Amino acid sequence: MNTEEIIRSIEAEQLKSNSPQIFVGDTVRVGVKIKEGEKYRVQPYEGVVIGKRNGGINETITVRRVFKGVGVERVFLVHSPRIDSIKVLRRGKVRRAKLYYLRDRVGKATRIKQRFDRAL
C-alpha cells in the first residue's frame, strides 16, 4: 500500500455515517459537545447554512444565526468528534452556493423560502 491509500483508509474510519445530506440554505440544529469540568453536555446551535467547503473528512459548514440583534457565524467540521448530531429542520430554496449576502440583510429580508421537493 502506498501512502495515499493508507491516508484514505484512516480517513474512512473517521467519517460519520449518520450525518444527513446538508445543502446551502438549510436550517440546521447542530449539537455541539461542550466540556464542563469532567462532564460533557450537548449545546444546540441553530441557524442557516450559508456555505459549504471541501469534502470527505475535511467537509465544513458555516452556520449563521442572529442572537440578540447580532449576527453570529460558526464553522463546523462535519465529521468532528465534537459534533454530536446535525438535524435538518427545513430545506431552503436558494439559487447560489454561498449566501454571504445575508450578512448585509436585517429582519424579514433574511428569510429564505422553504423547499419541499427534498426530504428532510
Side-chain angles (χ1 to χ4, degrees), residues 37-79:
E38 295 299 313
K39 295 181 182 177
Y40 282 95
R41 69 179 178 86
V42 177
Q43 179 177 2
Y45 187 87
E46 187 174 324
V48 177
V49 177
I50 64 167
K52 282 177 65 175
R53 289 189 72 179
N54 304 329
I57 194 82
N58 297 319
E59 184 179 4
T60 62
I61 57 172
T62 305
V63 182
R64 178 178 173 82
R65 69 184 285 201
V66 177
F67 183 72
K68 294 190 177 179
V70 179
V72 180
E73 292 181 9
R74 283 183 72 180
V75 179
F76 295 105
L77 197 60
V78 174
H79 299 287

Side-chain angles (χ1 to χ4, degrees), residues 10-22 30-31 33 52-61 75-86:
I10 293 171
E11 285 180 354
E13 295 170 9
Q14 303 296 322
L15 288 175
K16 289 184 179 178
S17 59
N18 60 352
S19 62
Q21 209 176 13
I22 301 166
V30 182
K33 290 181 187 172
K52 282 177 65 175
R53 289 189 72 179
N54 304 329
I57 194 82
N58 297 319
E59 184 179 4
T60 62
I61 57 172
V75 179
F76 295 105
L77 197 60
V78 174
H79 299 287
S80 168
R82 282 280 167 98
I83 302 299
D84 184 58
S85 63
I86 299 177

